[in-house]
Amino acid sequence: MEDALLIGYGAIGVVYSYIIQQSGRARLTVVARSNFDAAKQGGIVLNSGQFGKITDFRPHRVLSSVGEAADRAYKYVFIATKALPDVLPTSKILEPLLALSYEFPQPTYVLLQNGLGVENDLYKKLLERDGSTPPQIITCAVNCISMTVGNVVEHKARTTLEAGLYIPHGSVTSLDRTIPANVEAFRSLMEAGGGDIRLVENVQAAKFKKNLWNIMFTTFSCLTRVPLAFYVKTPDLWDDKVMPLLLETGTEVAAVGRALRFSEADFPSNVAEETIAFSVETMKDWDINSNHKVSTHLDIEAGKPFEVEVIVGEVVRLGKALRVSIPSWTTGIRIQQSDPPGALHVMEIEIEIMKRCYGAIGVVCEYSKIQTEFASDAGVIAESYIIQQSGRARLTVVARSEFDAAGALDANLYALPDVLPASKILQPLLAISYEYPQPTYVLVQNGLGIQNDLYMRLLERDGSPAPQIVTCAVHCITMMIGNIVEQKAHVRKPQTLLEAGLYMPDGCVMTLAAAVPANFEEFRILMEAGGGDIKLVGNAQATKFRKNLLQVLSAHFSPYWLL
């Protein structure tokens, strides 16, 4: 009996560990990290619609690192980790096996990962290691509805695997010819363990089709923080709002697939409609209150990195290379000319896509019939217009790492201190290598305590000079639909009212009877010159608390907070 290694013991890893073990054809070693203790003790429960409830499953070996596992030869190495090339490349995870000091033959690598381009890094490293020997990588489109809750893996329905030998540059493996022995042996292993597997000629078409589901449904669920069953099981919301939105954004992505010249059989022209129909059929028996969440949704809630690069970023890069317009995805995503060239920064995607939400948050709020305010590109555009109209500043809108050396920096981004602190966003400006004087920072953000992180970093950087931060309560009801920004008037206040004050720690109040600081007065003049309504206040924290109270009350009645 030969050995197999599986790395990554999340929901997908557990399901396929069970299949491999059940085949009776391989001694399975599993590398588990966060759930190592439970896996080691056989404490993982697989509650499966396909295999039943498994409470006594235990792999042959459970180890805590790949380094420990590099003590023998493996026929197959399965990678079931998240594909995070910008955080932890696959080649880094596999370093002990790719090192020249690994004295055994290289295995066949099987990638059980979501996303596109997940093979690139590993393929390149294997070429560098072994020269002319073609790397053996089986890449897969995994269709598996599963989630992990504590030590229990909930696995719905059946799991299907569409697999093929990875060939770079989009080449197709002809199944008319003899199937490579390692690929045929892999299929036999999966079938012996009860797995459903189909070998496909064009595995990249299968992966693009699966990625279409991820980019449509997973991203929508993550942006709104709502389990998918809620939308599908709420007919007026689904039929009138969500389904048309998913179809529109999915059709854009499908155009990239067609530009890759996938065959009609592999990637039909109505693939976006088919993807929606498949999802509705899959969830037809689910309860509206089902708390089943896609893994990316769980990652976000847990504050973990998620697969935005390979699910969204690679589609954006392909669209750009193929000259296919995908406005729903390129509005907030920008390709960075950084190291490496063309890398897509996770933090920028997270902020910009979540700000735009391609209408998702607006949809939920409209459905709840509660008028509330959320940060979006609409707010950015409205404020940018006021600054530009003032004629008193040359406005730079941050798209890459280009910053104006003078004037105030308008930090209009989601305040996400637990995900991406303001000091991280502003790192290039806060670096000692930034040779210009520190600007006045204007925080046009919702929430309380948003100044804390930036204030402390400025103190650490400059010592005794008091950080100059203007903090604001923004009353601006805006919404973005496509390329149109809808700005509504406030029922009791001017269209855009900014209540602003100089931030002072420990709740100190600025007395307006005294001389107003010059930079603060200049900011007020700038806003008024651009047609903005602004009111300087002595106690900015009181006005922000009042604004925050409105948001807390509004959010409390919004359906996506109730789930």
Side-chain angles (χ1 to χ4, degrees):
M1 186 181 294
E2 295 178 291
D3 284 278
L5 171 65
L6 184 139
I7 304 166
Y9 209 49
I12 296 293
V14 169
V15 170
Y16 278 94
S17 293
Y18 180 77
I19 290 173
I20 297 165
Q21 190 85 343
Q22 286 298 105
S23 74
R25 298 188 180 189
R27 289 183 299 268
L28 180 63
T29 297
V30 163
V31 173
R33 287 180 287 183
S34 59
N35 57 353
F36 169 75
D37 290 336
K40 183 76 173 176
Q41 297 164 12
I44 300 295
V45 175
L46 175 59
N47 191 15
S48 172
Q50 182 173 355
F51 304 113
K53 187 170 184 177
I54 312 299
T55 59
D56 56 353
F57 167 62
R58 183 186 313 235
H60 175 65
R61 291 198 305 170
V62 178
L63 305 175
S64 60
S65 72
V66 179
E68 291 179 78
D71 62 348
R72 64 190 64 191
Y74 297 100
K75 184 169 184 178
Y76 296 104
V77 172
F78 295 82
I79 297 98
T81 60
K82 299 288 185 182
L84 303 169
D86 50 319
V87 178
L88 186 62
T90 299
S91 62
K92 186 70 174 176
I93 296 171
L94 297 173
E95 207 165 40
L97 299 179
L98 299 175
L100 293 178
S101 57
Y102 181 66
E103 59 187 17
F104 305 100
Q106 280 294 296
T108 296
Y109 292 93
V110 182
L111 303 187
L112 304 172
Q113 295 175 306
N114 285 325
L116 305 177
V118 298
E119 314 89 355
N120 299 347
D121 168 61
L122 177 58
Y123 189 89
K124 179 181 176 183
K125 290 294 183 182
L126 285 169
L127 276 182
E128 291 174 357
R129 182 190 192 276
D130 296 327
S132 59
T133 304
Q136 296 296 296
I137 300 175
I138 296 173
T139 190
C140 307
V142 185
N143 300 292
C144 179
I145 303 173
S146 57
M147 69 179 284
T148 302
V149 182
N151 292 334
V152 179
V153 173
E154 295 288 345
H155 174 220
K156 293 179 177 287
R158 295 190 70 84
T159 291
T160 59
L161 204 65
E162 294 177 286
L165 194 64
Y166 173 67
I167 301 175
H169 312 305
S171 301
V172 175
T173 303
S174 176
L175 294 181
D176 295 333
R177 290 179 258 167
T178 303
I179 298 173
N182 58 341
V183 177
E184 179 59 47
F186 167 67
R187 173 171 65 180
S188 179
L189 173 71
M190 290 291 101
E191 290 177 343
D196 292 309
I197 180 172
R198 184 168 71 95
L199 299 186
V200 294
E201 293 188 358
N202 195 335
V203 69
Q204 293 304 319
K207 285 185 67 66
F208 201 104
K209 191 173 179 180
K210 168 62 190 306
N211 197 68
L212 179 64
W213 187 91
N214 283 116
I215 203 169
M216 291 168 66
F217 284 87
T218 296
T219 307
F220 190 87
S221 176
C222 292
L223 290 172
T224 58
R225 304 296 202 273
V226 180
L228 291 171
F230 172 78
Y231 294 119
V232 175
K233 293 299 202 175
T234 309
D236 50 346
L237 177 62
W238 173 256
D239 294 336
D240 298 339
K241 299 294 182 181
V242 177
M243 192 273 287
L245 185 61
L246 293 178
L247 182 60
E248 177 187 349
T249 56
T251 300
E252 290 180 14
V253 176
V256 178
R258 286 193 293 275
L260 290 168
R261 299 185 178 180
F262 295 141
S263 71
E264 179 68 18
D266 291 331
F267 198 80
S269 53
N270 66 336
V271 65
E273 290 90 340
E274 283 189 358
T275 301
I276 291 174
F278 166 79
S279 300
V280 172
E281 176 65 20
T282 299
M283 288 182 268
K284 68 178 181 180
D285 296 326
W286 292 20
D287 188 270
I288 189 173
N289 296 316
S290 169
N291 201 37
H292 185 90
K293 300 175 183 178
V294 294
S295 61
T296 308
H297 187 166
L298 295 173
D299 288 339
I300 291 174
E301 289 183 340
K304 297 178 180 178
F306 51 98
E307 300 160 306
V308 69
E309 272 280 349
V310 294
I311 292 175
V312 180
E314 192 66 16
V315 172
V316 171
R317 279 187 284 273
L318 286 170
K320 185 176 181 181
L322 296 167
R323 301 182 183 277
V324 176
S325 175
I326 44 176
S328 292
W329 301 100
T330 54
T331 294
I333 301 178
R334 285 178 271 274
I335 302 297
Q336 303 291 304
Q337 296 304 315
S338 60
D339 184 19
L344 196 58
H345 283 193
V346 172
M347 70 174 186
E348 184 163 295
I349 297 172
E350 181 178 356
I351 293 170
E352 296 293 341
I353 262 210
M354 288 183 69
K355 279 167 54 188
R356 182 166 187 260
C357 263
Y358 53 93
I361 298 298
V363 166
V364 177
C365 291
E366 183 176 340
Y367 177 71
S368 68
K369 308 300 181 187
I370 293 179
Q371 187 179 47
T372 186
E373 175 189 348
F374 290 89
S376 68
D377 277 348
V380 175
I381 293 171
E383 291 147 16
S384 297
Y385 177 79
I386 291 172
I387 296 170
Q388 190 80 354
Q389 284 297 105
S390 72
R392 293 175 176 261
R394 293 185 300 274
L395 178 64
T396 298
V397 174
V398 178
R400 297 185 181 177
S401 297
E402 300 146 358
F403 299 90
D404 193 357
L409 179 69
D410 185 351
N412 191 301
L413 303 169
Y414 267 139
L416 302 169
D418 54 330
V419 178
L420 187 64
S423 61
K424 182 71 173 177
I425 298 169
L426 299 172
Q427 201 167 31
L429 290 179
L430 299 175
I432 300 299
S433 58
Y434 181 70
E435 60 186 7
Y436 306 99
Q438 281 294 295
T440 297
Y441 292 91
V442 182
L443 304 188
V444 190
Q445 296 175 303
N446 289 324
L448 305 176
I450 59 176
Q451 316 88 350
N452 300 351
D453 170 63
L454 177 58
Y455 189 89
M456 292 304 298
R457 288 300 300 272
L458 285 168
L459 276 182
E460 291 171 5
R461 181 190 191 277
D462 295 327
S464 57
Q468 296 297 293
I469 301 175
V470 175
T471 189
C472 308
V474 188
H475 306 278
C476 179
I477 301 174
T478 55
M479 179 177 178
M480 191 169 192
I481 305 173
N483 294 328
I484 299 175
V485 174
E486 295 286 347
Q487 181 185 3
K488 296 183 179 292
H490 196 286
V491 291
R492 291 189 301 273
K493 296 180 180 179
Q495 286 190 325
T496 301
L497 177 63
L498 208 64
E499 294 179 289
L502 197 63
Y503 173 62
M504 297 182 181
D506 303 320
C508 297
V509 176
M510 182 183 69
T511 304
L512 292 180
V516 177
N519 58 340
F520 197 18
E521 179 63 15
E522 288 169 3
F523 169 68
R524 180 184 64 79
I525 294 172
L526 172 71
M527 290 290 103
E528 290 179 345
D533 294 294
I534 182 171
K535 175 185 176 184
L536 300 187
V537 293
N539 194 334
Q541 295 307 310
T543 58
K544 284 185 68 64
F545 199 97
R546 188 167 62 248
K547 167 66 187 300
N548 198 69
L549 178 61
L550 170 64
Q551 290 184 293
V552 169
L553 292 173
S554 299
H556 181 72
F557 288 100
S558 180
Y560 84 96
W561 282 107
L562 292 176
L563 297 178

